[in-house]
Amino acid sequence: MSTHAPGTLELSVSDPLVSLLVAVPAVVLACQAAGRAVRYIGQPPVIGEILAGILIGPSLLGWLAPGIQQHLLPPSVLPVTSALGSLALLAFLFLIGLELDLRSLRATRRSVISVSLGGLLLPLALGSALATAMYPHLAPPGVDRLPFTLFVAVALAITAFPVLARILADLGLEATPLGTFAMACAAVDDALAWCLLTAVISLSTSGTPTAALTTLALAAALALALTRLRPALAEVLTRAGRTSDDLVLAALFAGLCLTAYATDRIGVHPAVGAFLFGAVAPRGLPAVERGAARLRAVFLPLLLPFFFVDTGLHTNFSTLPAGEWGWGAAILAVAVLGKWGGAVGVARLTGADWRWSAAVGTLMNCRGLTELVVLGIGRQLGVISEELFTLLVIMAVITTAATAPVLRRLAGHDPRMSPLAPEPAPADDTAREAAG
């Protein structure tokens, strides 16, 4: 018999909220600790966060101590943690879209577009060939060859724009010629890759080319409508900023959610809608910048780790047959050859030297969190199997982890790839008189 007074809230041990009170701090602290730990070996925090998510899953904790893993993440809490991770993912993609400013490539437009296309078309071609070979072995039952092939090709062509920015900032290279050029290339690459991914999602969910074209037309109409409404949105957010920053934050969050809902209704993944809203959101407004900073401060450190955990729960190294590790090696080789080779080759054709070209190719080969987002979409849609998902996650981790150390080795003492020296402070009047 319950001893609680009438009208009070009674929670049982099996209530998801009770389990969530354990899962949330465990996941958040594990990802934070791992992110800080990898900094000591020169890696961006996202590498540690990805690894923490994988290690909490069946690959390590579930294998060594399944009881503890079940206690931390019991089945009753998984739908809640998955929803939290998905919501954080939408906020993350909104922030990517907001940071994606293609105006930065005006000065070197031709070279940037050429290198971006080279780093996109070659991995698409090689990825399509590899996917054709993998289809009989790794495609899920009932998935047609075309959507499987196109999805794998796009997954191998992704560059992680936000992780690339973080690596360049950690190395002090974000304002160097190499940093600005690579960021512009990554921005174009990501924009084109998301357009291709939208087409693949439409084909996967619609089933027929005609239905896919209809879905793409609706997505294009939504993008056009949002672009047309951009001045009105800027006016609304400007007025809201004069009233309260909280109102701007609420408007941004509601906008990304509703745009994600709209794309889901027309047959495109909600992530595309969140990215699209970020891409059309007005820039340069202080209230918008403050609202985006508040979204980043809450969703990325506190809720995005649940996306890593959801990824980790579907990444199980122990279930991979020995023969499939050969496919993993092929995926890694094609990913590096396509992305690095395509960017390096085109950079050389545009007149760049080998060191510069190799550094650009190394940066373009960084997959990071963006790759996990794309893979998560493919897994949710059922386009790729759990085994292929695991192999692609391994590729994403390796290519991201290799970026910083390889770049340091290539940079050497090249001033184009070295951190900018701080400007000397102006001498005061006393110093000038002494010098005189």
Side-chain angles (χ1 to χ4, degrees), residues 1 42 45 66 69 78 80 84 106 114 148 190 216 254 260 311 321 327 330-331 384 405 407 431:
M1 179 180 295
Q69 202 255 353
L78 294 183
V80 182
L84 291 174
R106 288 175 181 170
S114 298
F148 175 82
D190 260 15
L216 281 175
T311 299
W327 287 116
I331 289 170
I384 56 176
L407 184 61

Side-chain angles (χ1 to χ4, degrees), residues 113-197:
I113 293 176
S114 298
V115 172
S116 300
L117 289 176
L120 187 69
L121 296 178
L122 184 58
L124 284 175
L126 295 179
S128 298
L130 178 62
T132 301
M134 291 193 300
Y135 179 76
H137 308 280
L138 292 174
V143 174
D144 292 336
R145 184 184 297 270
L146 182 59
F148 175 82
T149 301
L150 292 177
F151 183 86
V152 172
V154 172
L156 294 180
I158 290 292
T159 293
F161 178 79
V163 176
L164 180 60
R166 183 62 178 269
I167 290 174
L168 288 170
D170 287 344
L171 297 177
L173 301 176
E174 70 275 17
T176 62
L178 174 66
T180 54
F181 183 81
M183 287 295 293
C185 291
V188 175
D189 191 288
D190 260 15
L192 294 174
W194 276 102
C195 291
L196 291 173
L197 182 63

Side-chain angles (χ1 to χ4, degrees), residues 17-161:
L17 178 59
V18 175
S19 300
L20 201 63
L21 295 177
V22 176
V24 168
V27 170
V28 171
L29 292 176
C31 287
Q32 286 290 321
R36 290 180 178 275
V38 298
R39 276 184 171 275
Y40 291 104
I41 56 174
Q43 292 293 339
V46 69
I47 288 292
E49 294 164 355
I50 293 171
L51 291 176
I54 293 174
L55 297 179
I56 289 175
S59 293
L60 183 66
L61 187 59
W63 176 58
L64 293 176
I68 296 177
Q69 202 255 353
Q70 286 291 314
H71 181 71
L72 287 177
L73 295 167
S76 62
V77 83
L78 294 183
V80 182
T81 58
S82 179
L84 291 174
S86 298
L87 195 60
L89 177 62
L90 296 182
F92 172 73
L93 288 170
F94 163 76
L95 293 170
I96 292 180
L98 189 63
E99 294 170 357
L100 190 63
D101 189 1
L102 300 182
R103 292 174 298 180
S104 60
L105 56 82
R106 288 175 181 170
T108 55
R109 180 171 49 232
R110 191 167 299 175
S111 297
V112 166
I113 293 176
S114 298
V115 172
S116 300
L117 289 176
L120 187 69
L121 296 178
L122 184 58
L124 284 175
L126 295 179
S128 298
L130 178 62
T132 301
M134 291 193 300
Y135 179 76
H137 308 280
L138 292 174
V143 174
D144 292 336
R145 184 184 297 270
L146 182 59
F148 175 82
T149 301
L150 292 177
F151 183 86
V152 172
V154 172
L156 294 180
I158 290 292
T159 293
F161 178 79

Side-chain angles (χ1 to χ4, degrees), residues 188-216:
V188 175
D189 191 288
D190 260 15
L192 294 174
W194 276 102
C195 291
L196 291 173
L197 182 63
T198 302
V200 174
I201 293 171
S202 301
L203 182 62
S204 303
T205 55
S206 303
T208 64
T210 303
L213 288 175
T214 302
T215 302
L216 281 175

